């Protein structure tokens, strides 16, 4: 059985980490997840009996927009971490980097320990998301040192190749989900709806971390053109220091007089009942979404979804899964789509049920785990039969 050293820079459970959690569950007896920061993600791994170690005590001072100088100055911090990871990796068959900083450390460790390196790429390597230095670094390290790049969508793969990534390295594997998890008892939903003071309201949910590119401000702007009975639930928090954006959303709500129609629920672990409380779920990213777990999760909950027409979201509709797409960054079109959904409710509900069936089949966690296992198979240690001692009983004759 293959032994895997997973690496992730984050202590917070964003989509890339939740995807890793689902994959690591299948390897819990033969893996370690090394994190470069402590937080709720570590707790989640522990609750799921997945071995985890926090390997860095200080946050790495490089971010998606960093240039060369900042990158070089962080080397003093990166090297000891890489040496630690290299030492650990001697006990594993493969190093599996789940984020970009993990890829940098994973590369150094892979060079030192001569263990193969896999890069699970959850990001679209475009100017919308990364500085040119960061794009160059990700692609150059992948091209020279990775044995496999798993991309979370065709859009992610296309961006990797457009940025100079070697096409033959990359394989698309979508995120996987257990459809059972997304069912919910009606009484629990009614109670929660009542507790939130939403009985009788038409509830629109938004379930992303609060970050400018996730476009929560677009939904708030669209809300002004929706009927008075509409309430918006913003579920999620600023996971990576976007406090200014949170402040700007709160100001937007006050200035537009939307206080009675918007609730900020912060980061929640009870996503499933909350999605069931919603009549409609919107995804409003203004930059192409690499995959967009929330879109599939909303569909698994049987909710109608309106998403922005870019990145991974487009692949669902190209695959024939029915839902509504609007142009990114356009509150007018979003409001029109919301109002239409509200007006044509019977038809909208039927379409949501059809989407639920489709996604349950296409994104089933078992299928995705099988795909990952097949891709990792090549890194399994080869057992040399001539060196293994025979266990055949010796005949007494
Ligand atoms: N999520 C959560 N609690 C929240 C908000 C979001 O658990 O309060 C989860 C959500 O259910 C989804 C993930 O966070 O599984 C976000 O993943 P997605 O791919 O949509 O976006 P990302 O944050 O990775 O860009
Ligand atoms: C990243 C992406 C998101 C994707 C998730 C899981 O966090 O931003 O689009 O769904 O990883 O792959």
């Amino acid at each position: 059985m293959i032994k895997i050293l997973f690496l992730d820079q984050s202590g917070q459970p964003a989509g890339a980490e939740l995807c890793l959690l689902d994959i690591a569950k299948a390897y819990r007896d033969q893996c370690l997840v090394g994190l470069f920061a402590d937080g709720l993600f570590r707790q989640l791994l522990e609750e799921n009996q997945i071995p985890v170690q926090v390997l860095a005590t200080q946050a790495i001072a490089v971010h998606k927009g960093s240039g060369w100088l900042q990158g070089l100055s962080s080397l003093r911090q990166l090297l000891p971490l890489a040496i630690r990871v290299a030492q650990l990796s001697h006990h594993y068959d493969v190093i599996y980097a789940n984020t970009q900083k993990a890829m940098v450390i994973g590369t150094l460790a892979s060079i030192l320990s001569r263990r193969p390196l896999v890069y699970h790429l959850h990001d679209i390597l475009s100017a919308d998301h990364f500085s040119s230095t960061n794009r160059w670094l990700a692609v150059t390290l992948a091209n020279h040192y990775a044995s496999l790049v798993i991309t979370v969508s065709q859009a992610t793969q296309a961006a990797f190749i457009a940025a100079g990534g070697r096409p033959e390295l990359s394989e698309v594997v979508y995120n996987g989900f257990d459809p059972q998890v997304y069912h919910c008892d009606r009484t629990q939903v009614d109670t929660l709806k009542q507790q939130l003071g939403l009985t009788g309201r038409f509830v629109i949910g938004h379930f992303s971390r609060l970050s400018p590119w996730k476009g929560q401000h677009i939904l708030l702007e669209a809300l002004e053109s929706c009927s008075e009975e509409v309430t918006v639930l913003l579920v999620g928090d600023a996971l990576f220091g976007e406090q200014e954006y949170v402040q700007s959303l709160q100001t937007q709500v006050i200035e537009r007089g939307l206080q009675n129609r918007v609730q900020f629920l912060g980061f929640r672990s009870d996503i499933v009942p909350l999605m069931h409380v919603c009549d409609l779920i919107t995804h409003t990213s203004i930059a192409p979404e690499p995959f967009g777990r929330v879109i599939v999760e909303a569909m698994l909950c049987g909710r109608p979804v309106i998403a922005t027409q870019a990145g991974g979201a487009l692949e669902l509709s190209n695959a024939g899964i029915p839902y509504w797409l609007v142009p990114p960054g356009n509150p007018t079109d979003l409001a029109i789509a919301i109002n239409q959904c509200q007006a044509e409710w019977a038809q909208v509900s039927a379409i949501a049920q059809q989407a639920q069936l489709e996604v349950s089949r296409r994104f089933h966690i078992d299928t995705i785990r099988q795909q990952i296992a097949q891709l990792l198979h090549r890194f399994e240690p080869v057992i040399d039969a001539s060196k293994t001692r025979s266990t055949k009983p010796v005949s007494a004759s």
Side-chain angles (χ1 to χ4, degrees), residues 15-16 19 122-123 152 175 209 213-214 289-293:
C19 174
H122 296 268
D123 296 305
V152 294
N175 280 220
R209 57 200 160 85
W213 76 274
K214 291 290 186 182
E289 183 73 52
F291 176 75
R293 292 175 61 86

Side-chain angles (χ1 to χ4, degrees), residues 389-397:
R389 258 202 286 154
S390 170
T391 49
K392 235 172 147 185
V394 182
S395 133
S397 63

Side-chain angles (χ1 to χ4, degrees), residues 8-18 35 37-42 44 99 209 237-241 267:
D8 193 293
Q9 71 201 46
S10 176
Q12 299 300 337
E17 287 68 36
L18 295 172
L35 301 181
D38 200 359
L40 183 55
F41 182 40
R42 192 227 345 120
L44 275 177
T99 56
R209 57 200 160 85
D237 207 346
L239 294 187
F240 305 117
F267 183 87

